[in-house]
Amino acid sequence: MPEALLTADQVSRVFTTGAGDVHALTDVSMDVAAGELVVVRGPSGSGKTTLLNLLGGLDRPTSGRVLLGDGRELSALPEKDVLEVRRTQIGYVFQSFGLIPVLSAAENVEIPLRLLEVDPAEREERVAAALELVGLAGHAKQRPYELSGGQQQRVGIARALVAEPRILIADEPTGQLDSKTAATIMELIQDLTHARDLAAVVSTHDPVLMQRADRVVELHDGALVPA
């Protein structure tokens, strides 16, 4: 069996509001192995984004644990260590693309490497390789407004992978795309997951895109149910 690079162990998340406690997740457990594309599906409000935020270290569970493949408990690490994990081991792809409008495609992809203080010459090589990987080698100098939605998301994927993470988290990455473009983006994520031996977790409600998954898990009202 491939090694589990990411594990949720009885994870729950409760948000306290003026109207009372909201149980966004309840006792969710799952593993994601190297080379595995796991799709999390469920209706709006089912807890998909909350789960991905916990798995990616963007939030901490109220109870339970999130474990990395090296045995460390991500959810218990000091914030500076969580930040280091996010910079080096986890790549994120967002529904809204998350690109900086005034920067070119190459400059957007370069951001994680600048944060890691990678040497400029190496940055240039790795950015070029990442853009080629997603089929945008000829678009390095274009800004987001000069690219289609699908191209912008490809830039987002290149940015997520340029630091060579082991884990990929994608929250509704095709939500703003037409069905044909969405299918090509999901195919790209599938291919990269297998080629790079990533542990990938993607949320979607599109049944067509679920066909690309190695495994589908389903959330309803914050709890896992048989998919």
Side-chain angles (χ1 to χ4, degrees):
M1 288 289 291
E3 63 174 319
L5 296 183
L6 191 60
T7 298
D9 177 26
Q10 296 290 297
V11 166
S12 296
R13 183 68 170 96
V14 179
F15 295 98
T16 300
T17 73
D21 289 345
V22 176
H23 294 261
L25 286 179
T26 304
D27 295 333
V28 171
S29 294
M30 60 181 287
D31 293 323
V32 189
E36 184 181 29
L37 172 57
V38 176
V39 163
V40 181
R41 73 179 183 186
S44 179
S46 61
K48 300 189 300 294
T49 295
T50 299
L51 175 59
L52 265 60
N53 285 345
L54 296 178
L55 292 174
L58 297 174
D59 191 15
R60 296 179 188 260
T62 306
S63 62
R65 303 181 301 162
V66 176
L67 303 170
L68 299 170
D70 59 12
R72 287 185 295 167
E73 184 179 343
L74 177 63
S75 49
L77 292 176
E79 192 57 40
K80 66 179 181 62
D81 293 339
V82 173
L83 180 60
E84 182 67 15
V85 169
R86 294 205 307 256
R87 285 179 174 175
T88 60
Q89 295 189 39
I90 304 175
Y92 302 89
V93 180
F94 304 100
Q95 178 179 349
S96 60
F97 313 143
L99 304 181
I100 298 176
V102 298
L103 300 183
S104 68
E107 289 166 340
N108 270 283
V109 174
E110 186 184 30
I111 290 171
L113 301 181
R114 283 185 172 274
L115 292 173
L116 292 171
E117 299 181 347
V118 174
D119 177 78
E122 183 180 349
R123 285 203 310 262
E124 185 175 350
E125 290 179 7
R126 289 171 66 171
V127 167
L131 286 172
E132 184 172 359
L133 188 69
V134 299
L136 291 179
H139 299 272
K141 294 183 179 180
Q142 291 181 276
R143 287 177 169 76
Y145 67 86
E146 299 174 306
L147 301 171
S148 68
Q151 289 172 328
Q152 289 183 59
Q153 193 57 292
R154 286 174 180 268
V155 174
I157 293 170
R159 181 184 57 192
L161 296 180
V162 73
E164 301 179 353
R166 300 292 314 276
I167 297 163
L168 180 66
I169 304 288
D171 190 7
E172 297 278 5
T174 62
Q176 295 198 38
L177 306 175
D178 64 80
S179 58
K180 183 178 179 180
T181 304
T184 63
I185 291 297
M186 197 65 184
E187 181 180 9
L188 176 61
I189 290 174
Q190 178 192 41
D191 291 345
L192 292 172
T193 296
H194 295 160
R196 293 200 161 199
D197 226 18
L198 302 172
V201 186
V202 178
S203 68
T204 184
H205 59 270
D206 189 332
V208 176
L209 303 183
M210 295 173 200
Q211 298 173 8
R212 294 284 179 186
D214 297 308
R215 180 160 51 97
V216 177
V217 299
E218 186 161 352
L219 276 174
H220 274 275
D221 297 326
L224 284 181
V225 298

